[in-house]
Amino acid sequence: MAIVGGGYAGLSAAIELARAGRSVQLFDRQSLGQAASSRNGGMASGSIRPGRKELITRFGEARATEILMEGKAAREDLWAFLKEEKVDCDFHLSGLFVGAINAHECDELSRSADLLRRFLGIEAHPVARLDVPTFIGTDFYTGGFVRMDTGGLHPAKLLAGILRVATATGAMIHENTAVTGTIAEAGGLRVRTSRGDVFARKVLICTDAYTDGFDPWLRRRIVPVRSRIIATEPLAEGAMDRLMPKRMMYGDMRQLSYYYRPSADGSRILFGGRDGTTAGDALAPTNHLRSELGRIFPELEGVGLTHSWFGQVAMHRDMVPRIFTSGNTVYATGFCGSGVVWARWLGKKAAFKILSEAEKAQSAFDFDPAPKAVPFYRGKPWFIPLVYSLYEWRDKRAMRRRQPEAKRS
């Protein structure tokens, strides 16, 4: 078995395949840890972009329910893996607060909390405006909701833990070895790499947002989007108690949404969002995140930063993580910014699919056809600035809907 991509998905698949007695070789064109698996915000949410109503419209009520239920199973499976394999990655089941900026969003989040309680048995509840300070020290939000099945962890430590387990199984890990293409042969595929060829009966591709020209078919379906994170300098004593009294994970409902959290030691705030640039490492996105941080927490306006970094997340037209096949190639990809949970889970499920273990492989995310190709796209996301301009306009409109409420209060 050959695996392309050495992040959470590829390594998790390697563990299951090697433990089942298969000869496994995994290839990554970079050193492990240089991609999104070590650069993300460490928020283990397993969220799905489309809401239940949209999922029902697209896939039917039965599959929509299965997708939502599988999110619960995937999160619980991750917690179990950390415990069973003794992976020390600063994991804390902190809960998640999502903020709303107008009454419409408050209503939507209230319905979401009710759905989580009734259908999935997840502890969740809406947060009224007067109760917001219990969870977050800001006047920016008019309400929100809390769900208690989400945690935070250190992403690079998680990757190191999964790599340790994968190596112990006997899987062969080839870093800095680019796969340049595959050629169908009798009984499988010849995998061409920068260090030579190997033959595999099956190939699993888990490159997600880091898919390059080795698979032009997949690259037309996966759009890499930069997600950037800044880290503040250590905050003054007592600041974290005011700003994040519950030490939860945080986000909001804006189109250009932001995600943020306390560092594991509680001394800093990590604040992230979609970058909007497609090249270079410009200062402007970092300054934008600092501005948005100060918008939510005015006392942090102009706060000193010690770090700014980015990684790529993979978006596609369906916006639902997928397992799909093409000949002897299986794909686990399209995690849409929620790969801490989904990448590991779907990597495992793809491995069971390859092993023909039907019961273990069963997943609501395993279905063909593959996501549709993005029109006029060949790997360079030229349209990202246009999309972000549209999202910014929608967010400004949502903020205008909030102003009368602020006056009444």
Side-chain angles (χ1 to χ4, degrees), residues 261-343:
R261 54 169 297 185
S263 59
D265 65 3
S267 66
R268 315 164 182 260
I269 290 177
L270 309 182
F271 190 89
R274 305 299 177 242
D275 189 316
T277 61
T278 58
D281 194 9
L283 184 61
T286 297
N287 288 335
H288 174 74
L289 287 178
R290 188 208 308 256
S291 175
E292 287 297 326
L293 175 63
R295 193 179 185 191
I296 296 173
F297 301 114
E299 72 175 87
L300 296 183
E301 185 175 358
V303 67
L305 306 180
T306 59
H307 298 79
S308 174
W309 70 95
F310 71 87
Q312 308 277 22
V313 297
M315 304 298 184
H316 56 92
R317 293 179 67 181
D318 285 350
M319 297 301 284
V320 174
R322 285 276 186 96
I323 299 171
F324 49 93
T325 59
S326 178
N328 286 318
T329 301
V330 179
Y331 295 87
T333 192
F335 306 124
C336 299
S338 295
V340 173
V341 170
W342 290 123

Side-chain angles (χ1 to χ4, degrees), residues 166-186:
T167 302
T169 66
M172 297 180 65
I173 312 295
H174 304 283
E175 299 181 82
N176 301 305
T177 306
V179 172
T180 58
T182 59
I183 301 173
E185 292 187 0

Side-chain angles (χ1 to χ4, degrees), residues 21 24 39 70 78 122 162 181 228 265 296 308 316 349 382:
V24 179
R39 295 171 180 255
E70 197 161 330
L78 176 58
I122 293 171
I162 299 175
R228 182 175 292 274
D265 65 3
I296 296 173
S308 174
H316 56 92
K349 290 293 185 178
W382 55 268

Side-chain angles (χ1 to χ4, degrees), residues 215-235:
D215 193 331
W217 180 83
L218 178 61
R219 189 164 66 164
R220 289 196 60 206
R221 288 158 171 78
I222 297 293
V223 179
V225 176
R226 284 187 172 185
S227 190
R228 182 175 292 274
I229 302 175
I230 57 174
T232 70
E233 62 188 4
L235 302 181

Side-chain angles (χ1 to χ4, degrees), residues 183-246:
I183 301 173
E185 292 187 0
L189 293 164
R190 180 163 298 279
V191 182
R192 292 195 160 170
T193 84
S194 57
R195 295 172 56 198
D197 295 359
V198 298
F199 178 81
R201 296 188 182 279
K202 293 279 188 179
V203 173
L204 173 61
I205 294 180
C206 307
T207 47
D208 207 45
Y210 291 80
T211 302
D212 59 17
F214 88 95
D215 193 331
W217 180 83
L218 178 61
R219 189 164 66 164
R220 289 196 60 206
R221 288 158 171 78
I222 297 293
V223 179
V225 176
R226 284 187 172 185
S227 190
R228 182 175 292 274
I229 302 175
I230 57 174
T232 70
E233 62 188 4
L235 302 181
E237 185 177 354
M240 193 65 77
D241 291 333
R242 293 191 302 274
L243 303 179
M244 297 181 170
K246 298 289 189 179

